[in-house]
Amino acid sequence: ERNLDWFPRMRAMSLVSSDSEGEQNELRNLQEKLESTMKLVTNLSGQLSELKDQMTEQRKQKQRIGLLGHPPPVGVNPQQPA
């Protein structure tokens, strides 16, 4: 009769379990990438904070030098960064 309705097309238990394993592997990979990205962002945030602190210190030193030495040229505001 060539009736193939009984055949489990794309519904076999082995296919379902392998799809589930594939999804779990993909989720694991995504989780690892997310954790790696979070570590990088944390590291970069720390570096930016250090850079900000260094820039602030340099501005303070320039202001001290300007106050101890000769007055700044006319039109230069010592409160604004160079």
Side-chain angles (χ1 to χ4, degrees), residues 16-49:
V16 172
S17 67
S18 69
D19 285 346
S20 177
E21 290 173 10
E23 288 176 8
Q24 287 180 356
N25 285 337
E26 186 175 344
L27 286 174
R28 252 187 252 115
N29 288 338
L30 288 173
Q31 183 69 28
E32 289 173 4
K33 287 180 182 180
L34 178 61
E35 289 173 4
S36 174
T37 302
M38 289 173 60
K39 286 178 185 177
L40 288 172
V41 168
T42 301
N43 187 15
L44 287 173
S45 294
Q47 290 177 356
L48 283 172
S49 180

Side-chain angles (χ1 to χ4, degrees), residues 2-3 12 14 18 32 43 45 51 64-65 74 76-77 79:
R2 296 185 183 180
N3 183 356
S14 63
S18 69
E32 289 173 4
N43 187 15
S45 294
L51 183 60
R64 286 185 206 129
I65 291 171
V74 177
V76 174
N77 186 352
Q79 297 299 321

